[in-house]
Amino acid sequence: MDRNTLLWAIVVFFGATVLFGAIGNLTEDEGDVLRIGLQAIAGLIVVAALVVYVRKTRK
């Protein structure tokens, strides 16, 4: 495994942890369905952004 790949995986993991924690803190008075839904949407956006980035850098 390439060193850069490992470092980017760590950055994305901790970034997603911070993002999900912030969403959880902002919606702590709301229902669990809303919290999980917003976190799922944020996760999909992060994955989509990574896919677009990887595809553009490989060309």
Side-chain angles (χ1 to χ4, degrees):
M1 180 180 276
D2 185 24
R3 181 176 174 215
N4 284 337
T5 303
L6 181 62
L7 291 175
W8 273 112
I10 291 170
V11 166
V12 169
F13 174 77
F14 285 114
T17 300
V18 170
L19 177 65
F20 293 155
I23 291 171
N25 289 338
L26 291 172
T27 60
E28 66 184 37
D29 294 335
E30 304 297 328
D32 289 339
V33 174
L34 177 65
R35 179 182 302 170
I36 292 170
L38 288 175
Q39 289 175 343
I41 290 169
L44 291 173
I45 291 170
V46 168
V47 168
L50 287 171
V51 167
V52 168
Y53 174 76
V54 168
R55 285 187 179 177
K56 285 190 182 236
T57 58
R58 286 192 178 178
K59 288 185 178 181

